[in-house]
Amino acid sequence: MITFLWPLAFLLLPLPFVLRRFLKPADKGLGGALKVPFFANLSRDLGSRADRVSTSWWKLAVASLVWLLMVSALARPAYVGPDLPLPAKGRDIMMAIDLSGSMASQDFAVGGRPATRLDVVKDAADAFIDARKGDRIGLVLFSDRAYLQAPLTFDRQVVRNLLDQAEVGLTGQETAIGDAIAVSLKRLKDRPAEGRVLVLLTDGANNTGEMDPIRAAELAKKLGIRIYTIGVGGGPMVVDTPMGRQMVNPSTDLDEGALRKIAELTGGQYFRATDVKGLAEDYRSIDKLEPVGADPVHVRPEVALYFWPAGLALLVAALSALIATAPALIKNRSFIKGPAHKEA
């Protein structure tokens, strides 16, 4: 819709009439006089008194219109569009997910049925991503090597879809935790200093790759990037074996000491998930530690229109001046040329 950004400017509308009412007219006796030799001819051309009164009202109407247009321009008319939401300033969160061979272990249960570690992780991470409205989310997948699956983006649905397509052993069977941290830092280091976070999830220990995890964590500390680590894998359980029922620990490969140190170095926190409920609670805890930013800011685009009344005022003033002076100028030219023709 069209609105006026400075509507109080319309209080100036009666100003010329107020000045005319309360200020004394200028003394015409002061100052010089312009002597026009053909004044009588010009007086006849201006017509009768009634014509002069009509001309006076015409000039007053034009002057009022020009003043109205000038005040309208001063009031800053503008076309204001509909509200458009802009994302609020949120956090930049990289999520690093382990795809090593051990993530296919079925030591979790969903609805009473065995489920792989990766399937459970997908569900919990999906809920976490969906709740991070206003944040930029990125995804790094790693096993033998780490690679960027999704750059930092506001499009959380794309990240969720890419995570859902991840498969165990996509790039190998081992675990390159250090490389996963390094790849994530590369994407986070150029982002604003506040709100840079890495959430790293694994079920094993660093056994391949170029970068040592602790060294990568020290680099993250220098860059001011917090790392939250999550160790997944079932706890000790009793299973039937050819040797009878035995107690086994499916998470013997998990290097909790390294994950805890990585988190402590960077100001993050280490979480241990041994079941579906615990993993969901870990992600909720991170959600509380790194609260979502404010609601999106709504803006209404504005297109300035002040130049239309301003230009129209200039055009009306110019045309009125031309119309008012044209007859007199034409008669004046004819009067000056008349004697010259007669002498000839």
Side-chain angles (χ1 to χ4, degrees), residues 15 45 49 53 59 61 84 86 126 145 176-177 185 206 220 236 306 328:
L15 181 61
D45 293 336
R49 183 176 182 277
V53 172
K59 290 181 178 179
L84 296 177
L86 293 180
D126 182 81
R145 59 182 182 276
I177 296 176
L185 296 184
N206 186 78
Y306 69 89

Side-chain angles (χ1 to χ4, degrees), residues 247-269:
M247 178 73 69
V248 297
N249 183 5
S251 299
T252 53
D253 292 335
L254 181 62
D255 190 352
E256 291 192 75
L259 295 178
R260 187 176 287 108
K261 187 172 182 180
I262 290 170
E264 291 175 353
L265 276 174
T266 60
Q269 192 170 331

Side-chain angles (χ1 to χ4, degrees), residues 12 24 55-56 63 77 97 153 221 243 274 279 301-302 319 337:
L12 297 174
K24 296 174 60 176
T55 302
S56 176
I97 305 294
T153 176
K221 179 182 178 180
M243 304 295 294
T274 58
L279 181 58
E302 298 174 359
L319 288 176
K337 288 184 176 181

